[in-house]
Amino acid sequence: LCTTPNKYAVVDATGAVKPQCCVDIVIRHRDVRASHYGVIDKFRLQVSEQSQRKALGKKEIIATLLPSAKEPPQQKEEEEKRIKEHLSESVFFEQTLCQPGS
């Protein structure tokens, strides 16, 4: 899930993760241009059992498109401060599936 899904493409947006394995999630920005620099977008990853729709856990992640050219130091510091302030507001939700007696 994303706040601006039209700006991003997710390779294999759904799928299964085998036990004792991991999966890379690739997210590509479709519309790279200067007007999108510094814009903060959010992604939500949800994990659920394959046979159920109820989410076992979720995590919100922020993404900010930054220019590749060097910026003046003051502008870069202001951008980093804004990102750090926003990161401190991010929330991590995790729910653990508990078995009785464990």
Side-chain angles (χ1 to χ4, degrees):
L1 302 169
C2 180
T3 54
T4 53
N6 56 329
K7 284 173 40 179
Y8 298 92
V10 180
V11 178
D12 299 329
T14 61
V17 181
K18 295 177 184 175
Q20 308 301 317
C21 294
C22 63
V23 174
D24 291 329
I25 299 171
V26 179
I27 302 171
R28 292 192 174 99
H29 201 294
R30 291 182 183 180
D31 193 11
V32 177
R33 58 178 139 164
S35 63
H36 291 153
Y37 293 163
V39 175
I40 296 173
D41 295 318
K42 292 182 184 179
F43 299 95
R44 178 177 290 166
L45 304 175
Q46 290 183 206
V47 178
S48 61
E49 288 285 338
Q50 191 170 9
S51 60
Q52 300 178 1
R53 292 182 155 234
K54 183 180 176 186
L56 297 175
K58 60 186 174 183
K59 183 170 184 172
E60 289 188 0
I61 300 167
I62 64 164
T64 305
L65 180 64
L66 300 175
S68 58
K70 292 190 176 187
E71 300 176 6
Q74 183 182 5
Q75 185 180 356
K76 187 175 181 180
E77 288 174 12
E78 290 174 6
E79 179 65 22
E80 287 176 358
K81 180 181 175 185
R82 189 168 68 89
I83 290 170
K84 286 178 184 176
E85 287 173 357
H86 186 67
L87 277 172
S88 67
E89 297 170 3
S90 296
V91 180
F92 174 76
F93 300 95
E94 182 177 349
Q95 300 171 353
T96 307
L97 180 62
C98 295
Q99 300 291 335
S102 59

